[in-house]
């Protein structure tokens, strides 16, 4: 199995579930070491830990320093952009992100600016105008650091593409991760120079999703779990293409060598690869996985 090499571009290791905490309640011990060992054994050879706020980006950097195969992003998620204003000094907050990113680059750990973008499905967390303002602001981070961008787009394709287009001088490339949009949205993204599309379990829920994913050129694709979220569930259209499985136990009956039912983790990026191959009608997964791997490395 390990002849297939994969990079999971989106893991939320700062989430409490990897510390054994679900909805504020402790169910089991922290188990990142076991989660990583399963990932390496499954053929994952690098992981990018997501930062979604200033504090979370600091934690993501600290986590990534614990293993040579871990890397991270620095940025502010659209639903958390109120933190710029709530900090009392948005410019100082921005400078703190910039210096964190520079510190992480020096350590060889920070590989992208993000997670940033627009999320119009969750405006109750952060209004549209603030999302747009600070999405645009983070292109300055990308420009100053010369890093690609790790992007989030939900129900906001027109505004999202317009902002990326307007900032194309400051955008060296990036990936719109956890893509769940239409074929039309997909086309808009692929028209942007050096834009890739990140696919995970949420991208593979419905027959329509599979249809869209089957049309994304492999040369423009990356794979991810977005764990602990976005697992491929039994109810998802993509499940019929899954070949690799792991023993699982409920969180109440946690065992070190089993995955936790309902908690996604990086070894399962292998399933994403299998579903992408399945919906594209590709039987030899190896060349496809190599292309995706090299997209990510670049």
């Amino acid at each position: 199995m390990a002849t297939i090499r994969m990079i999971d571009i989106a893991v939320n290791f700062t989430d409490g579930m990897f510390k054994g905490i679900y909805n504020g309640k402790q169910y089991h011990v922290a188990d990142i070491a076991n989660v990583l060992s399963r990932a390496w054994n499954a053929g994952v050879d690098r992981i990018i830990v997501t930062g979604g706020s200033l504090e979370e980006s600091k934690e993501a950097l600290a986590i990534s320093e614990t293993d040579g195969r871990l890397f991270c992003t620095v940025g502010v998620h659209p639903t958390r952009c109120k933190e710029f204003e709530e900090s009392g000094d948005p410019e100082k907050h921005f400078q703190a992100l910039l210096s964190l990113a520079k510190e992480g680059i020096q350590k060889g750990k920070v590989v992208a600016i993000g997670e940033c973008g627009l999320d119009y499905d969750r405006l109750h967390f952060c209004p549209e105008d603030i999302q747009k303002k600070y999405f645009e602001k983070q292109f300055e981070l990308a420009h100053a650091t010369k890093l690609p961008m790790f992007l989030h787009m939900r129900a906001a394709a027109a505004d999202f593409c317009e902002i990326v287009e307007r900032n194309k001088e400051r955008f060296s490339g990036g990936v719109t991760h956890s893509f769940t949009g239409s074929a039309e949205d997909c086309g808009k993204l692929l028209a942007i120079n050096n834009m890739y599309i990140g696919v995970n379990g949420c991208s593979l829920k419905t027959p329509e999703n599979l249809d869209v994913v089957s049309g994304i050129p492999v040369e423009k694709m990356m794979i991810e779990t977005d764990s602990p979220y976005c697992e491929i569930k039994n109810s998802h259209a993509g499940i019929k293409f899954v070949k690799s499985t792991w023993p699982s136990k409920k969180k109440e009956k946690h065992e070190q060598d089993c995955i936790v039912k309902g908690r996604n983790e990086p070894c399962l990026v292998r399933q994403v690869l299998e579903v992408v191959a399945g919906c594209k009608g590709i039987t030899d997964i190896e060349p496809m996985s190599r292309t995706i791997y090299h997209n990510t490395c670049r």
Side-chain angles (χ1 to χ4, degrees):
M1 190 159 141
T3 52
I4 304 273
R5 296 169 71 199
M6 296 165 290
I7 299 171
D8 188 346
I9 64 161
V11 176
N12 299 282
F13 271 146
T14 60
D15 190 277
M17 284 187 234
F18 291 113
K19 300 177 183 99
I21 300 164
Y22 301 73
N23 300 318
K25 188 179 168 200
Q26 187 92 39
Y27 282 89
H28 59 79
V29 295
D31 62 346
I32 285 191
N34 297 86
V35 167
L36 286 175
S37 136
R38 275 191 290 276
W40 312 139
N41 289 335
V44 175
D45 71 8
R46 275 173 279 174
I47 288 170
I48 303 174
V49 183
T50 306
S53 66
L54 176 58
E55 280 315 304
E56 199 175 274
S57 297
K58 287 178 186 169
E59 196 186 337
L61 177 56
I63 291 169
S64 72
E65 288 182 77
T66 63
D67 191 296
R69 297 160 285 189
L70 298 178
F71 300 87
C72 72
T73 71
V74 168
V76 182
H77 190 282
T79 59
R80 287 140 97 182
C81 277
K82 286 206 302 212
E83 75 171 44
F84 282 97
E85 323 238 303
E86 285 167 356
S87 72
D89 188 342
E91 188 50 39
K92 189 175 161 201
H93 199 73
F94 174 81
Q95 291 303 332
L97 283 162
L98 180 57
S99 67
L100 180 66
K102 285 181 170 167
E103 176 199 337
I105 290 167
Q106 231 166 355
K107 290 174 168 169
K109 288 295 179 183
V110 173
V111 292
I113 294 303
E115 177 176 359
C116 56
L118 299 175
D119 189 323
Y120 290 177
D121 273 346
R122 290 183 279 182
L123 293 169
H124 50 288
F125 289 121
C126 184
E128 189 179 308
D129 55 329
I130 294 189
Q131 283 194 31
K132 286 202 287 206
K133 179 177 178 180
Y134 292 105
F135 176 29
E136 192 132 20
K137 182 77 177 160
Q138 291 181 79
F139 282 85
E140 288 178 37
L141 278 180
H143 187 61
T145 56
K146 303 282 179 279
L147 286 176
M149 297 178 84
F150 179 71
L151 299 162
H152 176 102
M153 179 182 91
R154 279 277 178 280
D159 285 356
F160 179 95
C161 292
E162 186 193 318
I163 290 173
V164 177
E165 190 53 41
R166 191 160 62 230
N167 289 280
K168 64 171 184 265
E169 300 309 312
R170 302 191 284 181
F171 175 76
S172 65
V175 56
T176 302
H177 100 108
S178 195
F179 182 74
T180 56
S182 63
E184 187 193 350
D185 291 350
C186 186
K188 280 184 187 158
L189 290 172
L190 293 175
I192 299 168
N193 196 26
N194 243 344
M195 181 68 83
Y196 292 80
I197 293 180
V199 173
N200 63 33
C202 292
S203 319
L204 307 166
K205 279 182 181 171
T206 66
E208 295 74 38
N209 288 152
L210 295 184
D211 221 32
V212 173
V213 167
S214 72
I216 303 172
V218 175
E219 297 68 34
K220 285 291 190 180
M221 189 185 283
M222 296 186 198
I223 53 170
E224 53 173 274
T225 55
D226 206 23
S227 47
Y229 329 112
C230 296
E231 63 172 339
I232 300 173
K233 296 190 163 84
N234 287 334
S235 57
H236 288 184
I239 196 76
K240 62 177 181 277
F241 297 119
V242 168
K243 295 184 171 73
S244 305
T245 55
W246 279 259
S248 66
K249 287 261 194 288
K250 289 183 173 164
K251 59 183 182 294
E252 293 81 1
K253 298 202 159 92
H254 183 257
E255 274 180 30
Q256 297 291 3
D257 41 11
C258 292
I259 67 173
V260 176
K261 256 195 185 68
R263 181 187 72 171
N264 199 5
E265 58 169 80
C267 66
L268 299 170
V269 75
R270 171 74 193 216
Q271 297 182 340
V272 176
L273 196 61
E274 290 166 353
V275 177
V276 169
C279 71
K280 284 180 168 289
I282 293 170
T283 44
D284 184 5
I285 206 166
E286 209 273 329
M288 183 188 85
S289 74
R290 206 177 320 140
T291 301
I292 292 172
Y293 186 90
H294 290 303
N295 294 343
T296 312
C297 292
R298 272 203 307 282

